[in-house]
Amino acid sequence: MDIRTKLVFALVSVSLLSMAALGVFTVARVENSFRDRTDEQLNGLAVFKQTALEQVLDGWRDRVALVASRTQLRVSLAEYNRSGSAASAERIDRILQDAAGAAPLFSELWVRDASGTVVGGAGANIASGPMDAALLEADDAAEGIRYNGVSFPQGGLPAVGFTTPLSLDGEFVGYLHVVL
């Protein structure tokens, strides 16, 4: 082999090694850049979805608050607590049925008196009882509308439970349980 051939092989080898080194460093940099950009996009999507979910939850809480704010419901429950009147329980059922009929989002509506006894209800599963008793939890210390969790009934849509205390003139009279 003459000197020119050796010189060409040496130059080609140096060129190939420098291109390989450049490729290794560039691939790592580009890979990190893609990873960072993907992380940013996923974080942005997660924040967007979280905001959307919070808006849905706020909308559901507003609907629960709307039902709980019905004065006749609270008056009838207070009267039921005092007298155990069947007419009061029927009035509560009628109010809950009207609310369930007005908003198809409501799957079940239940009212419990101050002692925790179910007074009335309306919705899809009223004849068979609550679809998931865990969604009807009551917490004596709870104030405001409390999220009780999600239930996944077989063959049905997910059900979301909320509980809110009912009071009349500052006096606790019972709970409203709503399954959406």
Side-chain angles (χ1 to χ4, degrees), residues 116-136:
T117 305
V118 174
V119 176
N125 295 322
I126 298 307
S128 63
M131 79 167 64
D132 188 348
L135 295 181
L136 304 182

Side-chain angles (χ1 to χ4, degrees), residues 49-108:
K49 290 296 184 181
Q50 178 183 2
T51 303
L53 209 65
E54 287 172 355
Q55 289 174 347
V56 168
L57 240 114
D58 288 343
W60 288 344
R61 282 192 174 107
D62 288 345
R63 289 182 184 223
V64 172
L66 185 63
V67 174
S69 69
R70 293 185 179 199
T71 305
Q72 280 302 312
L73 176 65
R74 293 178 285 128
V75 167
S76 298
L77 186 56
E79 183 180 316
Y80 179 84
N81 284 342
R82 281 190 298 274
S83 66
S85 160
S88 297
E90 288 174 13
R91 210 170 24 250
I92 290 169
D93 277 341
R94 191 170 52 251
I95 292 168
L96 295 177
Q97 288 169 2
D98 288 347
L105 179 66
F106 293 128
S107 175
E108 299 177 14

